[in-house]
Amino acid sequence: MSLTAHRLPGLVEAEVDGELVALHIENGTCYSFNATAARIWALVDRPKTVTEICAALAAEFDVDERECDTQVRLLLQDLQKDGLVELVEHG
């Protein structure tokens, strides 16, 4: 099953010491993204499938394809729970 993700509006972002720090304007929650999470966040500025995200990460990081898929899905689900991304499943 294919999963597409894209960002929702509402975060104010800044880079601090190589990490992305973001504040959710509506709920006041502060987030800190490590380098990998920040890269995923950058990738979903427009709709991307998990496959597309993992292909981009594999080109930049030494990552196992299956592990990448699992970890990206987990991160995206957490971001969805916090109202930061929208996930759409395709057939």
Side-chain angles (χ1 to χ4, degrees), residues 35-45 53 57 72 75-76 79:
T36 306
R39 183 64 183 122
I40 293 167
W41 182 250
L43 289 167
V44 298
D45 65 333
I53 294 167
L57 294 175
V72 166
L75 174 64
L76 292 174
L79 295 175

Side-chain angles (χ1 to χ4, degrees), residues 5-86:
H6 70 89
R7 286 191 218 177
L8 296 173
L11 279 188
V12 176
E13 312 166 17
E15 186 176 322
V16 178
D17 294 329
E19 291 194 356
L20 180 67
V21 177
L23 174 66
H24 194 285
I25 296 169
E26 288 184 25
N27 67 20
T29 303
C30 188
Y31 299 89
S32 177
F33 296 85
N34 66 21
T36 306
R39 183 64 183 122
I40 293 167
W41 182 250
L43 289 167
V44 298
D45 65 333
R46 295 190 179 168
K48 297 264 188 321
T49 65
V50 171
T51 302
E52 292 170 323
I53 294 167
C54 287
L57 294 175
E60 299 174 38
F61 301 98
D62 181 22
V63 62
D64 175 76
E65 185 177 325
R66 181 176 290 148
E67 182 67 15
C68 183
D69 185 87
T70 299
Q71 294 302 317
V72 166
R73 286 175 186 272
L74 289 172
L75 174 64
L76 292 174
Q77 289 168 356
D78 284 346
L79 295 175
Q80 180 186 36
K81 287 177 191 170
D82 287 348
L84 304 179
V85 299
E86 180 177 42

